[in-house]
Amino acid sequence: MSRTKAAAGLALVAVVAGGAYWWQTQAAKPTEGAASAAPSASGAASARGGAQTVGVVMAQRQDVPVRVEASGTVVSLNSVDIRPQVSSIVREVLVKDGQMLRKGQPLFRFDDRGDRANLDKARAQIARDRATLADLDRQYKRALDLRAQNFIAQSAVDTVQSQLEAQRALLQSDEAALQSTQVSLGYNEIRSPLDGRAGAVNVFVGSLVQPSGTVLVSIAQINPIGVTFTLPETQLGALLQAVNGKDKSPLEAQIVLTGSAGRGTDAAAPIKGKVSFVDNSVDASSGSIRVKAEFDNSAGQLWPGQYVRLRLILRNIPDAVVVPQAAIILRGTERSIYVVSEDKTARLVPVQIRYPFGEMAVVEGIQAGDKVVLEGKQNLRPGATVRDVPATLDAGSSRRGTKGADAASAPASGASK
């Protein structure tokens, strides 16, 4: 019995000792956490007292073209449907589907035997009338001689004269009939009225053609070629100002083909043309103005009905100050930019956006060469000490900021007023 009590006592002592050890361990943990937190707080305070690192870019000065983009449809400047003017049988088909044609090139020949017979008949009729006219002319001269000798009355002379004049009129009528027959004979051969490309040929040798029948073939002019597009009426003023410029030079238009349309390249060289037509009225239902431009298509890159993206260079902004749009801070209607001063402090400068293009923008309020904060401006405050490092622009914005010409344009209404 004494052994049992001794064992129980030892067990109670062990439990009490373990509990005391656990309590001391738990009490020590908050103290260690507070100790470890103290250096962190002091580090943050140290960071707040030091210079903030920001990425900067230099404001550039360059000439910036003011452009406007539109979607257009390629159209043929001239197109014609070839139809017969006489009822006849097709004797020859001299054109093939999709053939490139020259103006005056023969296309079709019809059976012209009937018209040739009529032509020979008209010529024979003229020969007979000319012989009759010559005989009447001799009779008239003889009648004049006889009248001078008082062998015949004046009425007999007048009768011969009227017959002579009637024969002359009949001869003129026959000559006109001969010309009409020659014209009808010419309808038996059809020639191309313009340079262009033929469509599908719809007749074959031996087919009966009639003036009210189907179209024999369609011809569309391919070079030069046109593009029709529309612009909002808000851009009409800038468009007319560019078209009616002081130098009177045509307004340039550009088409950039990509992918398969650009012959396998990502971006082909732009096809340059000129604006040839601005409609005389604005479409009241859509609020747009119709415009047409002409392009050289000797390479055959444009095709009627094709959908293309078109650019117009309305004007140029010379010596413009250009910065990335990502550097501009938007606050309501205010626009501002952080600029790093010579004393390495941040200065908030209000600016005006004159023309955005792509990821860049033309601004007023800063000078070329100013260090513009692009990265790290979120927590920046005016007057803060900064340490500037060059910011990294992506390839697209860097290319646009350097060249300016490859930028996707904003509407012309965003340009400087």
Side-chain angles (χ1 to χ4, degrees):
M1 189 67 180
S2 60
R3 291 181 179 178
T4 302
K5 292 181 179 180
L10 291 175
L12 180 60
V13 171
V15 170
V16 173
Y21 175 77
W22 178 84
W23 178 262
Q24 293 176 356
T25 303
Q26 295 299 319
K29 285 183 178 180
T31 305
E32 294 174 357
S36 61
S40 175
S42 63
S46 175
R48 286 195 298 267
Q52 180 177 342
T53 302
V54 294
V56 299
V57 294
M58 303 292 287
Q60 303 293 326
R61 184 178 296 278
Q62 63 186 56
D63 295 341
V64 178
V66 177
R67 301 187 176 193
V68 60
E69 288 194 355
S71 299
T73 302
V74 180
V75 295
S76 177
L77 296 179
N78 294 299
S79 62
V80 61
D81 293 336
I82 303 298
R83 297 178 184 270
Q85 293 183 274
V86 294
S87 296
S88 185
I89 301 297
V90 178
R91 181 165 57 91
E92 292 181 80
V93 177
L94 306 175
V95 60
K96 297 181 180 179
D97 296 342
Q99 180 180 350
M100 295 300 298
L101 303 173
R102 302 182 308 275
K103 183 178 181 179
Q105 180 175 340
L107 304 178
F108 302 96
R109 291 194 177 102
F110 303 145
D111 185 5
D112 59 355
R113 291 175 295 178
D115 290 327
R116 289 190 179 279
N118 292 332
L119 180 63
D120 294 339
K121 181 180 178 180
R123 287 173 176 171
Q125 182 68 34
I126 288 177
R128 186 182 67 178
D129 292 340
R130 284 176 178 172
T132 303
L133 178 64
D135 181 64
L136 289 174
D137 185 61
R138 289 190 298 268
Q139 291 182 22
Y140 177 67
K141 291 179 180 179
R142 189 180 304 114
L144 290 176
D145 291 340
L146 294 175
R147 176 69 184 109
Q149 300 175 15
N150 291 324
F151 284 110
I152 59 174
Q154 181 62 37
S155 61
V157 177
D158 294 341
T159 301
V160 176
Q161 183 179 4
S162 64
Q163 292 176 351
L164 176 62
E165 292 175 352
Q167 188 61 31
R168 285 175 178 168
L170 180 61
L171 180 60
Q172 291 177 353
S173 175
D174 290 339
E175 289 175 345
L178 175 63
Q179 293 178 358
S180 177
T181 304
Q182 290 174 334
V183 171
S184 297
L185 181 62
Y187 290 154
N188 288 282
E189 182 179 76
I190 298 180
R191 295 176 176 269
S192 175
L194 51 86
D195 295 336
R197 183 182 177 92
V201 179
N202 299 318
V203 295
F204 306 93
V205 175
S207 301
L208 174 64
V209 294
Q210 297 178 347
S212 59
T214 60
V215 176
L216 304 182
V217 67
S218 296
I219 303 175
Q221 179 179 337
I222 300 298
N223 183 38
I225 205 165
V227 175
T228 60
F229 57 98
T230 58
L231 292 177
E233 62 178 324
T234 55
Q235 299 174 353
L236 179 59
L239 175 64
L240 294 178
Q241 185 177 2
V243 171
N244 303 321
K246 295 181 180 180
D247 55 357
K248 300 299 182 182
S249 59
L251 175 60
E252 181 179 301
Q254 295 181 355
I255 293 177
V256 178
L257 300 177
T258 58
S260 58
R263 299 188 180 276
T265 60
D266 292 336
I271 304 174
K272 297 183 179 181
K274 59 182 180 180
V275 173
S276 60
F277 167 75
V278 178
D279 205 354
N280 59 0
S281 61
V282 175
D283 187 349
S285 60
S286 61
S288 60
I289 184 75
R290 190 162 61 97
V291 189
K292 180 186 289 186
E294 293 183 12
F295 295 86
D296 177 74
N297 194 34
S298 56
Q301 295 176 287
L302 303 176
W303 218 247
Q306 182 180 357
Y307 176 86
V308 295
R309 291 292 296 174
L310 182 139
R311 295 175 180 173
L312 299 180
I313 303 177
L314 298 181
R315 62 187 179 89
N316 285 303
I317 304 177
D319 296 330
V321 178
V322 177
V323 298
Q325 291 197 48
I328 302 175
I329 301 173
L330 309 179
R331 293 176 180 173
T333 59
E334 297 181 356
R335 305 293 183 266
S336 56
I337 291 177
Y338 273 112
V339 176
V340 177
S341 303
E342 295 182 358
D343 58 356
K344 298 300 181 180
T345 58
R347 180 166 52 94
L348 189 62
V349 180
V351 296
Q352 296 81 38
I353 301 177
R354 292 309 182 193
Y355 176 62
F357 61 102
E359 297 183 14
M360 310 297 289
V362 176
V363 298
E364 291 183 359
I366 63 174
Q367 301 295 324
D370 287 348
K371 294 182 179 180
V372 175
V373 177
L374 181 63
E375 300 172 351
K377 62 181 182 297
Q378 292 80 4
N379 299 323
L380 197 59
R381 295 293 181 268
T385 303
V386 296
R387 184 173 65 88
D388 59 275
V389 296
T392 303
L393 293 175
D394 58 63
S397 61
S398 177
R399 181 172 61 252
R400 295 185 183 99
T402 303
K403 297 183 178 179
D406 297 335
S409 303
S413 59
S416 176
K417 298 181 181 179

